[in-house]
Amino acid sequence: MAAEPTRLPEALASFALRHLGPGAGPAVARLRASHPDADEATLRSLVINRGRRRVVAEGAFVGGPFLVFIPVAFCGALLSQVRTVLELAATEGRDPADPERAAELLVLQGVYEDTVTARAALDTHAAAPRARPGRGRTATLWELVMRMARLLGLLTASGEEQSSRVARIGQWVLVACVFLVGLVAPLVWLPYMAVSYNRATTRMMDRAVVFYVGSRDLRAPRRVRFDPSMVAAGLRATASLLLPLVGLLVVAATDTRIAGGQWPVAGIVLTASCLLTGGWWLWRRHSRRREPPS
């Protein structure tokens, strides 16, 4: 993908079909066995809800000092979205490893308008020789990240009308503000990215259900529900502001200086607090994963 960012959708669809397609059918079979009383609509709901949580968990990892892992987290979230679509196709009796699923993925992502064009693009991609990066690594990585964000639906909703210029400018201003605040308080990224991934994945799953099932009921507005996990994430993000603010206040009150100035001290305090809050979050996640189920 880094060698040829413009072919990212085709490369991702081909990779997902080879590596995720064979496991999608058994995963749905296990889910159906664990819920023997579930009808087809309930089974689809279970697949979508599980997939949406998986995408949010993958994507929200891009917080704080771990911004360098944005490409990895974006790719993980994309593969989780694709895996959910393949499982959804399996619930409708379609073979998730069939090459037709790759063409359908490209249509659902808004890359192509129909599966015929998507299949032709996949055939061209498979026959083309492997390219080599022609530009610097930074420029190539930036283009790759932007394309992954568009496929995820974080920048523009695939398959929907383009937003106005004012709305796009507002989105970029919001992203810039969250980024700047996130440099000081890493956990601010968690609720912001969780909401973004949840909204984008919901839109894609709606399109997938309409594509595979033909139902239009999912176009109706959803009722906003109270989500305790999102409230807890917001409180943790707000609390993460306290550590760097207290550190800066201590530096100002004690007039601590390095090389005759306070700016080096402030930089050290901000960096250390960023690493501490991010490390604490990772340690908490690791500890909870190792806890025995209740």
Side-chain angles (χ1 to χ4, degrees):
M1 292 188 295
E4 203 172 7
T6 58
R7 309 296 292 177
L8 168 66
E10 293 82 359
L12 182 71
S14 300
F15 178 88
L17 191 70
R18 293 194 307 269
H19 296 275
L20 302 180
V28 173
R30 291 192 296 269
L31 188 62
R32 182 179 282 112
S34 61
H35 298 81
D37 299 330
D39 56 12
E40 293 301 319
T42 303
L43 187 64
R44 284 195 300 269
S45 179
L46 291 172
V47 169
I48 291 173
N49 289 335
R50 183 177 64 177
R52 186 163 48 228
R53 289 194 298 267
R54 190 165 53 221
V55 173
V56 170
E58 292 284 351
F61 182 69
V62 298
F66 311 107
L67 289 175
V68 293
F69 293 135
I70 281 181
V72 179
F74 274 12
C75 195
L78 270 172
L79 290 175
S80 295
Q81 275 190 355
V82 170
R83 176 181 174 184
T84 306
V85 172
L86 294 175
E87 291 179 356
L88 188 61
T91 62
E92 301 304 314
R94 306 195 186 194
D95 182 7
D98 191 307
E100 187 70 14
R101 301 293 87 78
E104 294 168 355
L105 284 171
L106 295 177
V107 173
L108 290 173
Q109 290 174 334
V111 182
Y112 298 102
E113 294 183 358
D114 55 77
T115 56
V116 176
T117 308
R119 281 197 301 270
L122 287 169
D123 294 338
T124 302
H125 171 76
R130 181 175 297 178
R132 294 184 178 181
R135 295 183 297 169
R137 292 183 178 181
T138 302
T140 301
L141 184 61
W142 174 257
E143 182 180 356
L144 183 62
V145 169
M146 290 297 101
R147 288 184 179 274
M148 285 193 290
R150 290 187 179 92
L151 279 182
L152 281 166
L154 298 179
L155 295 182
T156 57
S158 303
E160 297 181 2
E161 296 182 356
Q162 295 289 334
S163 58
S164 65
R165 179 176 298 181
V166 175
R168 291 197 299 270
I169 293 175
Q171 290 176 350
W172 281 108
V173 170
L174 177 60
V175 171
C177 292
V178 175
F179 174 79
L180 293 175
V181 176
L183 294 177
V184 180
L187 296 183
V188 167
W189 273 100
L190 299 184
Y192 174 81
M193 294 304 296
V195 171
S196 300
Y197 278 104
N198 184 71
R199 182 171 57 247
T201 304
T202 298
R203 287 197 298 258
M204 185 175 184
M205 292 305 110
D206 286 355
R207 294 193 299 272
V209 170
V210 171
F211 185 89
Y212 288 119
V213 184
S215 172
R216 295 285 175 179
D217 295 338
L218 292 175
R219 297 296 184 181
R222 289 176 174 77
R223 183 180 62 181
V224 178
R225 296 181 179 179
F226 176 77
D227 191 343
S229 62
M230 291 301 299
V231 174
L235 292 176
R236 286 194 296 269
T238 304
S240 68
L241 286 168
L242 296 177
L243 184 60
L245 288 178
V246 170
L248 292 176
L249 289 175
V250 171
V251 171
T254 59
D255 196 23
T256 305
R257 298 175 181 269
I258 294 180
Q262 286 187 322
W263 286 110
V265 182
I268 294 174
V269 169
L270 290 178
T271 302
S273 61
C274 181
L275 294 174
L276 284 173
T277 52
W280 172 82
W281 177 68
L282 278 181
W283 176 79
R284 290 278 296 174
R285 283 179 57 84
H286 181 70
S287 300
R288 289 180 179 179
R289 286 180 178 178
R290 299 184 62 179
E291 291 178 356
S294 58

